[in-house]
Amino acid sequence: GARGGAGAETQVGNDLGSPEPLRWLLRSPFDRNVPVQLELQELLLDHVFQRLGVSSQGCVDHPIVLTEAVCNPLYSRQMMSELLFECYQVPKVSYGVDSLYSFYHNRRQNWPCSGLVISSGYQCTHILPVLEGRLDAKNCKRINLGGCQAAVYLQRLLQLKYPGHFAAITLSRMEEILHEHSYIAQDYIEELQKWRCPEYYENNVHKMQLPFSNKLLGSTVASEEKQEKRQQQLRRLQELNARRREEKLQLDQERLDRLLYVQELLEDGQMDQFHKALVELNMDSAEELQSYINKLSLSVEQTKQKILQSEVNIEVDVVDSKPETPDLDPLGSEQSLEDVESINEFEPLFAEEQPEVEKPVAAVQPVFNLAEYHQLFLGTERIRAPEIVFQPSLIGEDQAGIAETMQYVLERYSKEQQAILVQNVFLTGGNTMYPGLKARVQKELLEMRPFQSSFQVHLASSPILDAWYGARDWALEYMNREEGWISRKDYEEKGGEYLKEHCASNVYVPIRLPKQAPRAAEAPSRASGTGNPSEQA
């Protein structure tokens, strides 16, 4: 946004500080997890290269490893390749799926090359079957739920529970609560029944303190301080009224002098100038002129007396609960109405500071503890928000949860392949860091798998960062190979949507244009009436 007069300023990521004041102004190149606004993506890449100390002037002479969404649209990859090759002149690019990089990083000795990857991030949750080290893209499934929807749901729950703290219950605080206080229940209904017990509630409820001001409502101030404050306000009011009277006196005196000058023209017998002056003053007769002169003379004398009286009566009695307002001009004067309005503007200042009856200081105490009033009690909300990835119907989404989607994916394979996949169920992504998620997935698998069958569930060592670590491991291992890398020559020959597959990449599905039907043979020329006569001969 604009800052001062220096034009627009762009801030990225943590440079923003608190995002709450700018929540509805933030811009992102992503639609869910697919980049669609490449002009914003260019700003992000400039920021990244600047922070890394990589010069982007002319070209970026470094290979780039970039993550992309599962089954990324070809158009999105084409625009990203065009940006990297045309704008930054990079030598080569490799695309991969973040959850598969995490799977690649966490592989251990004797780990099977096949498995079922459950990746849950900020916007989406994916179920990805991996067979013999390669992604089976035909049977991937996506659930359009992630940490963002859980934070919004938690915000709605707490705003309904604490309507007095509506503005303080922000998305940033809800994300903090999700990370630090939420957990996944092994049995959701049974866990809710436990929370109905008062002892269980007292032992497991979490309290979160919201910021608040120590200034109490209706705080008591000594009566001497109040009187001094009222006296200062009255002095300011008197100074304002005195200034208004002086301005009014000056204007009235100037107008009176003008009218007296016109009257002198009448007395001197200069009738033409007198009638012209009357027209300018919008008057009809000498009687009307005399009436205006009398009124202005009276107003000027009254104003002078009030100015003299205000200079004499400087001391103001402030002992009474309601201070006396200074004398006002008669209602017949237009300027006196302005004085009345000016005093009415200051009346709320006196009303807020005036107690009806003077009470001792100790008698006015707050009826509740403000610190406790600004506390959030997190009870069943700790399990209700993260439960939406297993039961999307809680927020009105007509989708299947993780357990149902996992069973649907497994049923698309033979029993032998199912047994191979469930031996390595791998959880990754920031939305899989809830305590109890691994146990919940094991419980769901136990219910859907045949009797006495075996399975194993593994959680990524660092669910948030393992995608980066996996991409780093892959780049170091394949740096000097051609496998997985798209060179500039490949980009120019095969287009921006081209992808070289590797162990952590999507499956490349090229664009197949429909074949055009062969043109029908041209009809023979008609025997008569068409063509050139010489050709017919």
Side-chain angles (χ1 to χ4, degrees), residues 150-151 153-154 157 178 182 380-389:
Y153 181 46
L154 180 60
L157 291 176
L178 280 176
S182 298
T380 56
E381 294 84 8
R382 295 176 59 197
I383 61 172
R384 293 174 68 183
E387 181 67 20
I388 64 171
V389 294

Side-chain angles (χ1 to χ4, degrees), residues 145 388 390-399:
L145 291 174
I388 64 171
F390 288 93
Q391 299 186 56
S393 58
L394 291 176
I395 59 173
E397 291 288 342
D398 188 16
Q399 300 184 53

Side-chain angles (χ1 to χ4, degrees), residues 461-493:
S461 57
S462 178
I464 294 179
L465 297 177
D466 277 355
W468 186 88
Y469 288 132
R472 178 198 62 182
D473 296 344
W474 183 91
L476 293 176
E477 184 175 349
Y478 287 82
M479 180 61 71
N480 297 322
R481 306 184 193 177
E482 294 186 0
E483 180 183 355
W485 293 102
I486 305 170
S487 64
R488 184 173 186 84
K489 182 179 179 182
D490 295 330
Y491 164 74
E492 293 174 350
E493 290 182 356

